[in-house]
Amino acid sequence: MSRKFLRNHPLQRCAAGLGAILGLSFSAAGIAQAASDVREPVAAPAIQAVRVREPALSKSDYERGLELLKRGDFQGAREAFSQVIKKNPRDAAAYFQRGNSNYALREYEAALKDYSAALERNPNDADAHYRRGNAYYASGKYAEAVADFTQSVRRNPEGADTYYRRGNAHYALRDYRAALADYTEAVRRNPEGADSYYRRGNAHYALGDYRAALEDYSQVLSRNPNDALAYRHRGAARYALRDYAAAAEDCTRALLANPSDGEAYRLRGNARYAIKDYQGAIADFTKALESNPRDGEAYTSRSLVRYAVSDYQGALADSSKAIELDPKNAGAHYRRGNAHSKLGQLKEALEDLQKAASIYKEQGKMADYQRVQSQIDELQKQTHRL
């Protein structure tokens, strides 16, 4: 009989996929979002056991293990499948299901060993490759995950989900073009899958194709009109396209759905600054800092806006806080140097500008280095004239 492991289950999309249940998350490498973004690519299989196998020794233990898996008693299921394996070490299905139990318990190395044992006994099992790919992904072994998902696709080329998950692994490796191809294949095979559009939007964004990213995030929102992250990410794409008013509007919609999204406040603050709504920008950066008091970028950005409204003491305080959080923040040194200059503190201004120039040069940002160096030269001339 055919042996299948169903992949759709209520656990699969709870919180942020199974991330909240199984502790899986990945920070996007390409899109300008916070590392805490829970919607960044994850690969988490549903835990549901409906795989039928030929009669074997200890059949009652196997069936008991399946029932325990369904009920969420993963420890009990693992013990039951271990009893099957003890009595019949040739039983590939028991290794497979014990791997699922270990995966659910976040014991990924044990899961990998079990899936590998299942594949030794049944090398052509597409589901075992798929599950081992998920375990590799959860362990941070993205290249190995790609290899297993590829094996799964070769044996079962019809499943959109495997392309989607291989796309996540490619994305984690920052191979955005390969991720884009996989997400596109997932969309082709399942045009209503909002998550595939969302991930493909991230890949487009990482490749600098902001208009295509915007279109994909819009596809997500046509299917899930209350998706806060899709609004925020579409706002980021619009910001990159310099459509600042629309970017601010998308962030506002994101905040209606999730009022505690500090990243949306920060992005809207940037957009409001760009359209010269300085007080609105200050208010947004302040809300971002209430959400995350260690957000150095929010301090740096608020410093810039306070400088723009001639609040030089406020700009000085904010840039100092940003430097405290990250001494290598060249922009914060630059802005504090300018604030010192406006306050007539030329010695301190020169020190900060020289520090900013040094960091920019160290980072290979030569245009910024030259810009700051020109300002240093001019400030030194002023100092000599005093």
Side-chain angles (χ1 to χ4, degrees):
M1 297 178 66
S2 129
R3 297 190 292 184
K4 298 294 181 184
F5 190 91
L6 298 187
R7 295 177 183 171
N8 296 317
H9 185 272
L11 289 178
Q12 192 168 19
R13 289 297 305 279
C14 169
L18 268 181
I21 296 173
L22 302 185
L24 304 181
S25 63
F26 176 72
S27 302
I31 193 163
Q33 270 84 239
S36 60
D37 189 343
V38 296
R39 271 284 297 275
E40 289 314 319
V42 296
I47 300 301
Q48 180 177 354
V50 195
R51 175 177 272 217
V52 180
R53 68 173 186 10
E54 298 302 323
L57 298 176
S58 304
K59 179 180 178 182
S60 61
D61 281 328
Y62 185 88
E63 299 303 328
R64 184 166 59 87
L66 293 182
E67 191 60 37
L68 290 167
L69 261 183
K70 291 178 186 178
R71 295 209 307 256
D73 183 355
F74 305 126
Q75 182 72 43
R78 179 171 64 181
E79 292 171 2
F81 294 126
S82 293
Q83 288 299 315
V84 179
I85 292 166
K86 182 177 179 181
K87 296 175 182 178
N88 181 11
R90 298 184 305 278
D91 194 327
Y95 280 107
F96 178 88
Q97 300 293 11
R98 192 173 70 176
N100 292 334
S101 305
N102 279 318
Y103 188 98
L105 291 165
R106 305 183 192 180
E107 296 186 17
Y108 304 124
E109 290 301 322
L112 284 168
K113 289 179 182 177
D114 279 335
Y115 293 137
S116 295
L119 284 164
E120 287 172 8
R121 290 155 177 80
N122 185 4
N124 294 317
D125 188 337
D127 276 345
H129 280 293
Y130 171 85
R131 297 295 163 175
R132 191 172 68 175
N134 283 307
Y136 274 130
Y137 188 101
S139 302
K141 299 174 181 177
Y142 305 123
E144 291 88 343
V146 167
D148 260 333
F149 290 135
T150 298
Q151 290 296 322
S152 182
V153 164
R154 286 175 182 167
R155 290 162 173 79
N156 178 22
E158 299 307 315
D161 189 63
T162 309
Y163 289 101
Y164 169 83
R165 294 180 189 282
R166 187 172 68 177
N168 292 344
H170 280 306
Y171 193 101
L173 291 166
R174 302 191 181 190
D175 187 350
Y176 302 124
R177 292 197 183 281
L180 184 64
D182 274 338
Y183 294 139
T184 297
E185 191 63 28
V187 166
R188 187 179 74 82
R189 292 170 184 278
N190 179 17
E192 294 308 309
D195 278 353
S196 294
Y197 285 106
Y198 176 85
R199 307 299 181 190
R200 190 172 70 173
N202 288 348
H204 278 306
Y205 191 103
L207 291 166
D209 190 348
Y210 305 122
R211 198 163 299 283
L214 188 155
E215 291 171 2
D216 273 336
Y217 297 136
S218 294
Q219 288 288 341
V220 176
L221 290 165
S222 71
R223 291 159 175 78
N224 298 329
N226 297 316
D227 192 322
L229 283 169
Y231 275 119
R232 190 231 288 170
H233 287 188
R234 190 173 71 174
R238 284 178 160 159
Y239 185 91
L241 291 166
R242 301 187 180 184
D243 188 353
Y244 302 124
E249 176 60 25
D250 269 341
C251 290
T252 297
R253 292 185 178 187
L255 289 164
L256 287 173
N258 180 13
S260 63
D261 187 350
E263 287 295 297
Y265 279 114
R266 175 148 59 83
L267 178 58
R268 190 173 69 176
N270 288 332
R272 283 177 164 174
Y273 173 78
I275 59 178
K276 298 186 178 181
D277 177 4
Y278 298 136
Q279 293 306 320
I282 289 172
D284 276 339
F285 294 132
T286 300
K287 291 292 289 185
L289 288 165
E290 289 174 6
S291 175
N292 177 14
R294 298 190 62 79
D295 187 344
E297 289 186 39
Y299 279 113
T300 304
S301 296
R302 193 172 67 177
S303 171
L304 175 65
V305 187
R306 284 179 162 169
Y307 184 92
V309 297
S310 302
D311 179 6
Y312 304 125
Q313 289 289 358
L316 188 69
D318 276 345
S319 52
S320 293
K321 185 63 178 179
I323 291 166
E324 177 187 324
L325 292 169
D326 178 12
K328 289 288 187 179
N329 186 332
H333 281 289
Y334 175 73
R335 293 191 175 102
R336 190 170 72 175
N338 285 331
H340 276 306
S341 179
K342 286 293 187 180
L343 292 168
Q345 301 161 354
L346 301 187
K347 177 176 176 292
E348 291 84 352
L350 274 172
E351 289 175 356
D352 267 324
L353 292 175
Q354 287 166 346
K355 184 65 174 178
S358 174
I359 296 170
Y360 280 136
K361 188 174 183 180
E362 180 183 319
Q363 293 172 342
K365 299 178 179 178
M366 299 312 294
D368 289 324
Y369 167 75
Q370 292 293 343
R371 172 174 55 84
V372 178
Q373 193 59 51
S374 297
Q375 193 169 338
I376 290 170
D377 294 341
E378 183 60 33
L379 193 57
Q380 286 175 332
K381 290 177 184 176
Q382 292 179 33
T383 304
H384 292 151
R385 287 197 294 267
L386 293 177

